[in-house]
Amino acid sequence: MTILRDWLNPPGRPPATPLDPTERRALWIEITIVLLITFGLSGLSSMLSLLEATLAPEPLAEQTVAINTPRATHGAIDLARQLLGVVRLLAWGALGVYLLWRSGHGPATIGLGRPGFRRDVLPGAGLAALIGLPGLVFYLAARAAGVNLTVAPSVLTDVWWRLPVEVLWAIANSGAEEVLVVAYIITRLRQLGWSENGSLLASALLRGSYHLYQGLGGGVGNVIMGLVFGRYWQRTAKLWPLVVAHALIDTVAFIGYQALRGHVSWLP
């Protein structure tokens, strides 16, 4: 119970240096621009996708949404576009790291120092198991309840580059999301005087918003994931375990779906 209370109540932090009105306005402008370029716009688009799916005549569970899809009919062009998508996500993450660095929060400060196996990889694997296995059960339950679409994590054709590209997508997704949605947003909201719980909730709701294209189950499940990941970062100031965990979850989802599709009855 003591451990649970410790995690529910983040440690006290020295109050942030008060910002004058001009600095506060500039920070809000920066946050707005970053979100409109990255996951905030994705969240708005996901809301429209969910609305469109809800208005369709077919029940949500009978509709399918694919995550990794072919981007061209020509193989070489498809590969190039897949890699461009990976680069775009990595650039989003780099933007968050750069903006934080410019304001005095270097990579080591936000938990992206030199990674270690015991310090970062093992906790990341543990977080992946903690989130991934219950997450799969939650998805199947949400789909059975009719509040989630059928999610196809990857429908890339069986070409030689499929597996490495799926792994690259997983790494890019994890890097961009954990840097921007956890480290960047929570740090900036702290600077604006938000409480730890308030900034955590905002981070989790943002994560849930851009997964709403999967249905309400996808949104709620990712809010829960965001609460766990965000609190872990607030308590430990380590971001690498979150990146590792997220990359593992996505890699297993992308590759596992391709391997198991049509071979197990419980996977729609």
Side-chain angles (χ1 to χ4, degrees):
M1 290 300 294
T2 301
I3 295 176
L4 179 60
R5 282 195 299 268
D6 287 343
W7 278 88
L8 292 177
N9 297 288
R13 293 181 175 274
T17 303
L19 302 176
D20 64 40
T22 300
E23 291 172 325
R24 291 182 64 85
R25 190 181 309 113
L27 206 53
W28 275 118
I29 290 173
E30 179 192 289
I31 293 170
T32 302
I33 292 173
V34 169
L35 290 182
L36 288 178
I37 292 173
T38 62
F39 294 110
L41 190 62
S42 297
L44 295 174
S45 178
S46 286
M47 293 177 193
L48 292 177
S49 295
L50 177 58
L51 177 61
E52 182 181 24
T54 303
L55 295 176
E58 301 87 1
L60 286 180
E62 294 181 11
Q63 301 177 49
T64 300
V65 58
I67 299 177
N68 282 354
T69 61
R71 301 189 170 207
T73 55
H74 191 280
I77 296 176
D78 188 12
L79 173 58
R81 285 181 171 167
Q82 298 288 339
L83 294 178
L84 285 176
V86 168
V87 170
R88 180 186 62 186
L89 283 173
L90 292 175
W92 287 3
L95 174 63
V97 172
Y98 172 75
L99 290 173
L100 290 173
W101 171 72
R102 282 291 302 270
S103 61
H105 302 276
T109 304
I110 64 172
L112 285 179
R114 180 178 297 179
F117 183 76
R118 291 186 178 181
R119 183 176 62 252
D120 299 308
V121 177
L122 287 182
L127 280 171
L130 175 67
I131 295 296
L133 296 176
L136 176 60
V137 174
F138 186 84
Y139 157 69
L140 294 173
R143 182 179 178 276
V147 296
N148 216 80
L149 287 79
T150 297
V151 179
S154 179
V155 293
L156 295 177
T157 54
D158 192 15
V159 291
W160 66 268
W161 47 261
R162 177 175 65 83
L163 288 180
V165 163
E166 288 175 338
V167 173
L168 288 175
W169 271 115
I171 294 172
N173 281 330
S174 62
E177 290 189 42
E178 304 315 322
V179 167
L180 288 173
V181 180
V182 175
Y184 175 79
I185 286 296
I186 293 179
T187 298
R188 287 298 189 240
L189 293 179
R190 280 174 178 168
Q191 291 178 273
L192 289 166
W194 286 42
S195 69
E196 292 294 285
N197 287 334
S199 58
L200 173 65
L201 181 60
S203 169
L205 290 175
L206 173 60
R207 189 188 295 264
S209 71
Y210 57 81
H211 287 93
L212 283 172
Y213 70 92
Q214 301 174 8
L216 290 177
V220 172
N222 276 277
V223 167
I224 296 172
M225 175 179 174
L227 292 172
V228 174
F229 274 28
R231 181 62 91 218
Y232 182 92
W233 184 75
Q234 288 176 325
R235 293 285 306 177
T236 67
K238 295 178 181 178
L239 198 64
W240 277 123
L242 304 187
V243 174
V244 170
H246 195 150
L248 286 174
I249 291 170
D250 283 4
T251 298
V252 171
F254 296 156
I255 296 177
Y257 179 82
Q258 291 273 23
L260 296 177
R261 183 177 56 177
H263 299 286
V264 293
S265 59
W266 52 265
L267 185 66

